Amino acid sequence: MVSLLIADDHPLYRDALKGALVTTFNDLQLYEAGDLTSTVSLLYEHDIDLLLLDLHMPGSNDLFGLLHIRKLYPDLPVAVVSGTEDPATISKIVAVGALGFIPKTASSSDIANAVQAILEGDIWLPASVSNTMEPVDNEFSELADKVSSLTPSQYKVLCYMRDGLLNKQIGYNLDIAEATVKAHVTAIFRKLGINNRTQAVLLASQLELEPPASAHG
Amino acid sequence: MVSLLIADDHPLYRDALKGALVTTFNDLQLYEAGDLTSTVSLLYEHDIDLLLLDLHMPGSNDLFGLLHIRKLYPDLPVAVVSGTEDPATISKIVAVGALGFIPKTASSSDIANAVQAILEGDIWLPASVSNTMEPVDNEFSELADKVSSLTPSQYKVLCYMRDGLLNKQIGYNLDIAEATVKAHVTAIFRKLGINNRTQAVLLASQLELEPPASAHG
DNA sequence: TGGTCTATAAGACGAAAGTCTTAGCGCGCA
DNA sequence: TGCGCGCTAAGACTTTCGTCTTATAGACCA
């Protein structure tokens, strides 16, 4: 009996993943989520053996979402599902702790193989990239470690900071006082080893897989 | 009689470029620069037909340097010389107005052909990328336009902002009062259509060709 | 059960950011 | 020569940022 959580904001692609899995695994408990919040809820409510995670889900904020889940459930195997083919991006995803990377172009048998391998404790990567994997530089790993040390509240504040919001606006969105936001901001600075929000935004933007489409302005 | 300016911080590579050119062009006036400041000085002092520009020169700040020169001398043909092979990066370079892209791995004959083609008014790209050129999205072009509308002083202030410096530190580096820095900052916000420095840093980091190696902190 | 640690929360206060206004200077133009 | 315009510069003032200090609630441990 294997329980899987499929976290992807496209219902059709969730169905495709399900179809690829049900033909291979006959004793399967499947859960689904369309955004990061419900993903976290389902992980809390059920005992999940493997998470199939799309990084571009609402609320996921690219690598932030993966870091967030890795922090909450360090022992949960995570396979990232994404449309990117960029080796550098895949390297970062693996560096942050994903046990597998499944391209959206993968075939049903590839998907089943990947899930099987990861459930058995292996790391699975598509053949096209596993031989061209670039070593991720040390600075990135250190940065990922630092960001992982943030508390959930601090995560959210950092995500809003990266979107260019004022402390007051962040407080409104999180329903806390501006003074509390400032406390979180200061804590973030300490953990990341910096001293102003500009540097925080620079570090945070390094974790983005692709440049933001707009300035959120 | 053709006058060329080679702007690259590696003397050896400047020599290599010279070697590739003197064998093909027999009536050649060559100038050399090792950083952006001396590049601009030489462009002012002499009548240059073509600039061979390395974006990773000291003071160049990746695409900022090219934008800067494009702003000062809109009619000057520029060929960018760089070690990158990334199609997206090359697309951005061309979108910002470079008439050619010469990979550092190019052969002597390729270099000579490129220079010849650009001097004749063509755009020259290496064969390996010209067929895989990605269309640059509209937002990037708009951003480049906005950044090009900045004055030289505003450029410098934005570059320092992107490095996480305080207004006071920027003023010290540029030898102007903090009040003046603030005036520039406000003007930058207006031109970029934003209202705080966090958003400015986000936009500026989109012009970086590669993610910064460190937080400069 | 009491002690300690951590996350969360928030007020007070100095520092920095950002806006508004004014002013000198160089330039094109009538 | 005089006018307008844009770049540079800077003071005055308001808003936001960031630190320091304090307080509460839950987790872990002895």
Side-chain angles (χ1 to χ4, degrees):
Chain A
M1 173 67 175
V2 175
S3 68
L4 291 180
L5 171 53
I6 297 176
D8 194 306
D9 57 333
H10 296 103
L12 282 176
Y13 194 74
R14 288 206 301 268
D15 289 343
L17 281 176
K18 277 192 286 186
L21 293 170
V22 291
T23 56
T24 315
F25 300 89
N26 44 12
D27 202 5
L28 200 58
Q29 175 67 271
L30 275 179
Y31 302 94
E32 291 182 49
D35 57 53
L36 196 72
T37 307
S38 55
T39 303
V40 172
S41 301
L42 286 169
L43 288 175
Y44 177 78
E45 292 163 10
H46 304 97
D47 194 26
I48 307 287
D49 294 320
L50 172 63
L51 168 64
L52 294 174
L53 177 69
D54 173 20
L55 294 183
H56 291 306
M57 277 194 311
S60 172
N61 280 307
D62 294 340
L63 276 190
F64 279 100
L66 177 55
L67 281 169
H68 187 62
I69 288 174
R70 291 284 306 152
K71 170 109 196 302
L72 290 175
Y73 303 97
D75 298 329
L76 171 72
V78 179
V80 168
V81 179
S82 171
T84 187
E85 304 278 347
D86 178 35
T89 300
I90 299 174
S91 298
K92 288 183 179 181
I93 288 170
V94 174
V96 165
L99 294 182
F101 179 87
I102 300 175
K104 290 225 166 177
T105 57
S107 67
S108 290
S109 59
D110 278 344
I111 293 170
N113 287 340
V115 169
Q116 185 72 54
I118 294 167
L119 284 173
E120 289 171 1
D122 294 334
I123 291 181
W124 192 92
L125 294 173
S128 57
V129 300
S130 56
N131 49 357
T132 65
M133 280 285 285
E134 305 169 9
V136 172
D137 58 39
N138 233 336
E139 302 212 38
F140 179 80
S141 307
E142 287 175 21
L143 172 60
D145 279 352
K146 287 176 185 170
V147 173
S148 297
S149 76
L150 299 180
T151 68
S153 299
Q154 289 163 5
Y155 263 116
K156 292 173 194 158
V157 170
L158 180 57
C159 289
Y160 281 122
M161 267 201 281
R162 195 200 46 179
D163 288 344
L165 269 65
L166 303 176
N167 285 341
K168 189 180 289 187
Q169 295 172 308
I170 297 172
Y172 178 82
N173 284 339
L174 295 179
D175 201 28
I176 54 180
E178 183 187 354
T180 306
V181 176
K182 292 181 185 176
H184 287 311
V185 168
T186 302
I188 293 168
F189 293 168
R190 252 195 268 277
K191 287 187 178 175
L192 299 186
I194 54 182
N195 51 44
N196 66 50
R197 84 169 36 211
T198 302
Q199 296 166 348
V201 168
L202 284 167
L203 289 182
S205 65
Q206 287 184 47
L207 286 180
E208 299 242 335
L209 297 180
E210 294 162 45
S214 76
H216 307 273
Chain B
M1 174 67 174
V2 174
S3 69
L4 292 180
L5 171 53
I6 298 177
D8 193 307
D9 57 333
H10 296 103
L12 283 176
Y13 194 73
R14 288 205 302 266
D15 289 345
L17 281 176
K18 277 192 284 186
L21 293 170
V22 291
T23 57
T24 314
F25 300 89
N26 44 12
D27 202 5
L28 201 60
Q29 174 67 274
L30 276 178
Y31 302 95
E32 292 183 48
D35 56 53
L36 196 73
T37 308
S38 55
T39 302
V40 172
S41 301
L42 286 169
L43 288 175
Y44 178 77
E45 291 162 11
H46 304 97
D47 194 27
I48 307 287
D49 293 320
L50 173 63
L51 167 65
L52 294 174
L53 178 68
D54 173 21
L55 294 184
H56 290 306
M57 278 195 310
S60 173
N61 281 307
D62 294 341
L63 277 189
F64 280 99
L66 177 56
L67 281 169
H68 187 61
I69 288 173
R70 292 282 306 152
K71 171 108 196 301
L72 290 175
Y73 304 97
D75 298 329
L76 171 72
V78 179
V80 167
V81 179
S82 170
T84 187
E85 304 277 347
D86 178 36
T89 300
I90 299 174
S91 297
K92 289 183 180 181
I93 289 170
V94 174
V96 165
L99 293 183
F101 179 87
I102 301 175
K104 290 224 167 177
T105 57
S107 66
S108 290
S109 60
D110 278 344
I111 293 170
N113 286 340
V115 169
Q116 185 71 56
I118 294 168
L119 284 173
E120 287 171 3
D122 294 335
I123 290 181
W124 191 93
L125 295 173
S128 58
V129 299
S130 56
N131 48 358
T132 65
M133 279 286 285
E134 305 169 10
V136 172
D137 57 39
N138 233 339
E139 302 212 38
F140 179 80
S141 307
E142 287 175 20
L143 172 59
D145 280 351
K146 288 176 184 172
V147 173
S148 297
S149 75
L150 299 179
T151 67
S153 299
Q154 289 164 3
Y155 263 116
K156 292 173 193 157
V157 170
L158 179 58
C159 289
Y160 281 122
M161 268 201 280
R162 194 199 47 180
D163 288 345
L165 269 65
L166 303 177
N167 285 341
K168 189 178 290 186
Q169 297 172 306
I170 296 172
Y172 179 82
N173 285 338
L174 295 179
D175 201 27
I176 56 179
E178 184 187 354
T180 306
V181 176
K182 292 181 184 178
H184 288 311
V185 168
T186 301
I188 292 169
F189 293 167
R190 251 196 269 275
K191 287 187 179 176
L192 299 186
I194 55 182
N195 50 43
N196 66 50
R197 87 168 34 210
T198 302
Q199 295 165 350
V201 167
L202 283 167
L203 289 182
S205 65
Q206 286 183 49
L207 286 179
E208 300 241 334
L209 296 180
E210 293 164 45
S214 74
H216 307 273

